[in-house]
Amino acid sequence: MAVSARVEGTVDPGYESLKDLFTENFQLGRETYAQLCVYVKEKKVVDLWGSMEHSTTYDADSLTNIFSSTKNLTSLAMAMLVDRGLLSYTDRISQHWPAFGHEGKNELTLADLMRHEAGLVTLDTEFDPEDFWPESIKQNKVGKVIEKQVQKWPAKGKREYHALTRGWIANEIFRRVHPSGITIGEFIQAEVATPLGTNGLVVGAKDHNLSHYFAVVNTEFDPESPLGAMINHPGDESGEIWNSEVIRRGETPSANGNCSARGLAKVGAVLANNGKFGNVTLLSSSGWKGLHSEATLGTMLGYEYYLTQGGVASWIGEDVRAGFYGWMGYGGSCFQWHPERKISFAYVPCLLIPSLSSRDEKNRARALQVELMKCVRNMDNA
């Protein structure tokens, strides 16, 4: 039975079918709150948000946890330091963080970490949520645990999904390399969100970020699944603990970005246009190329993915996402860009449907991307 839904925003001529599909998901009960924002050739052509509950406070700038779509922001932050000559993807992590090299980790490179080939999927110590607050990170409360870890490898190859740990390790490298010692979350706010004029990119929420947040809701959490176990915190049964204020204040740059589709789409517009969007340049041409190059194939989460040295996935060949780079988040969020077509795509839902993998044709983001590419091709042929 169809349900009443309220969908607001704008779509340019030629993209109306995207609004139809977005609205249909609400009518079928497959959304509670959600946002969709798309840029094509630096022009915002889709800017939609909707609610099943006719909320008067949910809008295009509301924040929601995007889980692993946050990994793209970490990749961008690291790429910006590489672009400034402060480190290289081929650098051994221990060059910048000597104590990391303990327990046989001395040869691990930044590219290894970004490709999920670090052998550090899990750590042997439980943390308190406050350990991930920026002030605690700078006291090395997370770093000292990572330093004493021993690598553990999958049965075949080296690639294995570092759902949380990639962001924790990257943050420790980042703060040691950045001249001011700031964290990834602080950097994203100062040098990405502020220049782009958006409040929709938050890793490590502050007081002013806390109120305009809409909780993720998980109706089918499976704690026995590999990814479910990775994103779960002790004592939580659904992954919804990521809604809690104490965790939102912390920085897990692989999994707890509190973002809007508008904010993500602006970043995607930069990355779809060789590092520049309007009068904002985040990466030089060489820095952009470094982020997107040296992709290698490996199995992760049961599927094969090409991952670049900068840590973003690359879809090629006959895949419906062919030409896109980026990643997606547990339960449904998606943050990707298509440099050849100069497309930025950002989708942020509150209702998590983790059983629909990114390759399932019923996956909401995937279906929206398929429809988007139909619109783009139709516009080309018009």
Side-chain angles (χ1 to χ4, degrees), residues 119-382:
L120 296 167
V121 170
T122 59
L123 307 181
D124 64 7
T125 302
E126 289 188 2
F127 295 97
D128 293 324
E130 293 88 350
D131 291 340
F132 297 101
W133 291 14
E135 55 269 31
S136 297
I137 291 171
K138 293 172 185 178
Q139 294 169 13
N140 209 36
K141 289 187 178 181
V142 178
K144 67 182 180 182
V145 172
I146 295 169
E147 291 165 2
K148 65 184 181 71
Q149 299 301 304
V150 176
Q151 292 164 292
K152 297 177 183 179
W153 302 103
K156 183 178 180 181
K158 290 190 174 183
R159 185 167 296 177
E160 189 174 10
Y161 197 52
H162 290 52
L164 305 182
T165 55
R166 195 190 85 158
W168 294 340
I169 299 167
N171 216 359
E172 295 298 322
I173 301 166
F174 190 95
R175 71 180 182 85
R176 285 168 168 83
V177 171
H178 193 280
S180 300
I182 62 175
T183 62
I184 287 175
E186 291 169 334
F187 179 86
I188 290 295
Q189 185 57 49
E191 302 209 33
V192 180
T194 297
L196 288 173
T198 177
N199 295 318
L201 303 169
V202 177
V203 181
K206 307 302 181 187
D207 289 343
H208 64 276
N209 304 128
L210 294 173
S211 61
H212 205 35
Y213 177 84
F214 278 70
V216 293
V217 177
N218 197 338
T219 59
E220 52 177 48
F221 183 72
D222 179 7
E224 300 302 320
S225 72
L227 187 55
M230 289 179 190
I231 65 100
N232 200 17
H233 273 243
D236 181 41
E237 297 180 351
S238 68
E240 293 177 15
I241 198 169
W242 293 89
N243 293 321
S244 69
E245 180 179 311
V246 67
I247 289 180
R248 291 178 57 217
R249 286 183 180 274
E251 292 191 21
T252 295
S254 279
N256 82 328
N258 287 189
C259 300
S260 67
R262 272 185 178 175
L264 295 176
K266 277 194 171 183
V267 177
V270 173
L271 294 171
N273 289 278
N274 203 40
K276 182 178 181 180
F277 175 62
N279 61 356
V280 176
T281 299
L282 298 184
L283 291 170
S284 69
S285 292
S286 62
W288 183 94
K289 183 177 180 181
L291 170 62
H292 293 83
S293 67
E294 304 295 331
T296 62
L297 184 64
T299 300
M300 191 170 69
L301 298 174
Y303 296 102
E304 288 190 329
Y305 290 101
Y306 282 95
L307 290 178
T308 71
Q309 64 181 353
V312 294
S314 169
W315 285 270
I316 63 173
E318 299 302 315
D319 194 289
V320 297
R321 285 184 163 122
F324 279 94
Y325 288 82
W327 198 236
M328 47 269 170
Y330 175 80
S333 72
C334 185
F335 169 26
Q336 297 175 12
W337 55 95
H338 193 307
E340 182 180 350
R341 291 283 193 170
K342 300 189 184 304
I343 294 171
S344 169
F345 176 93
Y347 164 71
V348 175
C350 288
L351 182 65
L352 307 180
I353 310 180
S355 64
L356 291 179
S357 77
S358 66
R359 301 195 182 196
D360 191 315
E361 65 180 16
K362 294 182 180 179
N363 177 279
R364 293 164 296 176
R366 182 185 186 276
L368 288 164
Q369 283 177 284
V370 169
E371 189 61 34
L372 168 62
M373 296 311 291
K374 288 180 182 177
C375 294
V376 171
R377 286 191 289 270
N378 288 339
M379 300 280 280
D380 286 345
N381 296 328

